[in-house]
Amino acid sequence: MTATPEATFESALKPGARAVLQYGDWLLGAFVIGILVVLVASLPTLALDLAIAANIALSVAVLLVSLNTRSPLEFATFPTLLLFTTLFRLGLNVASTRQILTQGAAGHVIDAFGNIVVGGNIVIGLVVFSILLVIQFVVITKGSNRISEVAARFTLDAMPGKQMSIDADLNAGLITGEQARLRRDAIAREAEFYGAMDGAGKFVRGDAVAGLLITIINLIGGAVVGTVMEGRELADSIRHYAILSVGDGLVSQIPALLVSTASGIVVTKTSMEGRLSREMAMPFLSNPRALATSSAVLAGLALIPGLPKLPFLGLAALTYAFYSWTKDTEPIIEAERAKAQADAKPGAAASKEAAAAEGTDHKKVDDLLGVDRLAVEIGYRLIPLVDPGGGGGLLEHVAMLRRQFAQQEGFVVPPVRIRDNMQLEPTAYRILVGGEIVATGTLQPGHVLAMDPSGRAKPVQGIATTEPVFGLPAKWILQSNKQEAELLGYTLIDPISVLVTHVTEIIRSHAAELITRDDVKHLLETARKKTPAVVEELVPGMMTVGDVQKVLKQLLRERVPLKNLSVVLETLADHAASVKDPERLTEFARASLGRSICERLVGADGRISAVTLDPAAEARLASAMAPSAPNLDGAASALFLRRFVDGVLASTQEAAKVGRDPVLLVKAPLRRFVRDLVATSAPRLPVLSYNEVQSARGIEAVGVVKVTDESA
């Protein structure tokens, strides 16, 4: 089992640090309970000094950690930490207030801030304290809250698009399922983080208000205590307790200011590759001309009469020194920018693939041997159809297509790899199954495909073409002519829908080639959760995964959905002990799925239009199926079968002319043989047996296939 990054990090720590992680829950609980104790109990002077020093150290550590994180999610616990530090400061405020009012002193740290930092001057102390409050409350806290609010809103608004982008990359085969899961988790954690930061910012804002109120309360309370209870002069009481109150406010607000600054740093960060210091310095170091201009401006200011020359000349020399250190990097940066722009141009993907094939991108040779089960290659003018930002959406359509197949067909389509191919015509595409080309076509960006379903519509101006799925005549017309074509009765299809429809038909017709043993194993594992008994009985006791795959391939070859897989498995379990032939097992499964098969073939009137066989033709087919075929010699048999196929085509075409989509209905023993006969000439013609249509709501005969003796 591969160790997680957290486990690897923990194993590298010293024993003491590992103990902190091991007993972290206990330590955190003790910390929270300690805050509650401080709120109700009096602290000794030494303990208060240690707690105040720890508060300052913790605030500095939080600020430094926020500076060194590359992205906000690396400090995902910051909102919770913000709550704890705020509670800690408020607890110290309560403890110090109790000391000030009861003992007239609050330890050495507060006394030092009150006397040394502000020089014992009340006015200076109040001014410094007020400035800190203004900086924290008006500038940093307010700005951080606004950034957190906007970031949370934008993150939530962008979540659907990011999720679709992940699904598109997954469907296109650009990422694995595990990578998609990790990216979805990262998006969810990002939304939760900014939402938590939006609320946690209110803690800092409230802390600033509480610090101001506590200081005012200490001033007023101290004056009252000193004058009434201690018998001091009013001026002496105000001076004594004001210094303590201001010192208490400073030791509280300075750490609060550090944490507020850390909060602003965290929420203003975007994902970056290096440290914050490096990322901030790079824009200046990568633009040496700006440094040279700044140096010249500083030198010019030094020449203005009345301005001190030493500061400006010194800074000008320092800035020019930075310029001299970085000016040689400008050609390198320009070359990198040109390379990035070249990579963004159409065809860059193909160039990278060529580089990979030559080994220049250091990929393993083994990675080049893989063959995509399903792929679509497009010319460079069709690339905008793939990019959602370019007005396309092919990836989203493919994702929807895969979900549709899973829901309706019970078969998970493998990821569709979409890539550009500079060897194709600019508007051409081709579809590959197992690395082999199975279909081609062309699209016209900026046009729509117009088809005349009636065949009587007034002609429109456009590029003549053929609809790729059904081979119907059509035209590519400009987008500006859409309204006119609709009024004339044309059916309009956008280029993406044309390609997706073509891919859909290819998947349906080649589904048997796409399903692998791994897919069948996954289907069996899914079925095991719902019907464990039948799966455990069937596999591996009666059939192997490969045997089940052969049956499912036969069903998919005739476009029978696998949605009712449990019915198929039940049927196989009933017959697999005595029947080993996959074709016979498939016929048993089809009979069990009769209702599902017929439901997809029912017309608008709720009935199935069927072309049947003449009894004489059925008898001769039965003879042709016999191993010795005593009634027909080889030539006559071949002639009869050819005439039979022609008769089937003629009968079904006659039915289609009157708006019917017929099926060919035959006796059960003949079904497989007849299907194989007509598969090449009529691949989309359903061939059903009488066993399969028993559950149908109604059958209407629309034709009979006859093969006369003369023709045979």
Side-chain angles (χ1 to χ4, degrees), residues 2 12 34 111 162 283 293 295 322 368 395 400 415 467 493 511 577 581 622 648 694:
T2 304
D111 185 67
K162 292 180 179 179
T293 304
S295 177
F322 273 106
L368 304 176
L395 295 177
M400 189 180 303
E467 195 276 333
I493 309 174
D581 182 15
V648 170
Q694 289 178 356

Side-chain angles (χ1 to χ4, degrees), residues 249-546:
L250 288 175
V251 298
S252 175
Q253 290 307 310
I254 288 177
L257 181 62
L258 295 178
V259 174
S260 299
T261 305
S263 174
I265 292 172
V266 170
V267 298
T268 54
K269 272 189 176 183
T270 56
S271 297
M272 58 183 67
E273 297 180 357
R275 299 185 304 273
L276 178 62
S277 58
R278 176 183 175 85
E279 297 293 330
M280 292 181 65
M282 282 302 296
F284 296 95
L285 299 179
S286 61
N287 292 277
R289 296 180 184 178
L291 296 176
T293 304
S294 299
S295 177
V297 171
L298 290 171
L301 291 174
L303 300 178
I304 298 177
L307 290 180
K309 293 180 173 50
L310 182 61
F312 289 104
L313 288 177
L315 289 175
L318 182 62
T319 307
Y320 186 79
F322 273 106
Y323 163 71
S324 63
W325 294 340
T326 59
K327 63 181 180 180
D328 295 335
T329 63
E330 189 169 9
I332 300 176
I333 295 172
E334 291 296 331
E336 289 294 330
R337 289 174 179 169
K339 181 178 180 297
Q341 293 176 357
D343 290 342
K345 292 181 179 180
S351 299
K352 289 183 178 180
E353 289 183 4
E358 295 174 3
T360 57
D361 60 348
H362 306 290
K363 287 187 177 181
K364 295 181 180 179
V365 175
D366 293 344
D367 296 338
L368 304 176
L369 301 179
V371 176
D372 299 317
R373 283 197 280 167
L374 188 59
V376 177
E377 295 182 349
I378 57 177
Y380 71 84
R381 284 194 60 194
L382 303 184
I383 292 177
L385 299 180
V386 181
D387 181 16
L394 180 58
L395 295 177
E396 288 79 1
H397 282 75
V398 171
M400 189 180 303
L401 170 64
R402 297 185 73 220
R403 287 193 293 268
Q404 177 183 349
F405 262 88
Q407 293 172 357
Q408 298 181 359
E409 308 293 332
F411 168 52
V412 179
V413 177
V416 182
R417 176 86 66 176
I418 302 176
R419 54 176 175 260
D420 57 336
N421 187 339
M422 296 299 104
Q423 297 179 353
L424 294 177
E425 293 294 325
T427 59
Y429 69 87
R430 62 186 186 187
I431 305 172
L432 299 89
V433 174
E436 300 296 331
I437 302 172
V438 296
T440 60
T442 59
L443 303 174
Q444 293 294 333
H447 293 66
V448 292
L449 188 69
M451 293 189 297
D452 177 16
S454 65
R456 299 185 300 271
K458 181 180 178 181
V460 293
Q461 186 176 2
I463 304 172
T465 186
T466 301
E467 195 276 333
V469 177
F470 302 102
L472 301 176
K475 284 186 177 182
W476 288 105
I477 66 172
L478 293 172
Q479 292 274 2
S480 56
N481 296 334
K482 283 179 58 177
Q483 187 174 2
E484 177 187 356
E486 287 176 346
L487 294 176
L488 293 175
Y490 282 88
T491 299
L492 305 180
I493 309 174
D494 62 272
I496 291 181
S497 298
V498 173
L499 179 54
V500 171
T501 303
H502 201 177
V503 173
T504 303
E505 180 60 25
I506 292 300
I507 294 175
R508 291 188 190 279
S509 57
H510 292 79
E513 302 175 41
L514 296 174
I515 189 169
T516 64
R517 278 179 168 79
D518 290 331
D519 296 330
V520 175
K521 183 179 179 181
H522 176 71
L523 291 175
L524 291 173
E525 291 173 352
T526 304
R528 190 188 301 271
K529 299 176 183 178
K530 299 181 180 179
T531 56
V534 65
V535 177
E536 292 172 1
E537 178 185 355
L538 180 64
V539 180
M542 296 182 179
M543 300 179 68
T544 65
V545 175

Side-chain angles (χ1 to χ4, degrees), residues 684-698:
R684 295 191 183 93
L685 175 63
V687 180
L688 275 61
S689 70
Y690 288 99
N691 292 344
E692 297 166 2
V693 299
Q694 289 178 356
S695 58
R697 286 177 284 179

Side-chain angles (χ1 to χ4, degrees), residues 570-591:
E570 289 276 3
T571 305
L572 295 179
D574 291 340
H575 298 88
S578 57
V579 178
K580 301 301 180 182
D581 182 15
E583 293 191 359
R584 290 186 61 192
L585 291 174
T586 303
E587 295 304 311
F588 287 128
R590 285 182 59 93

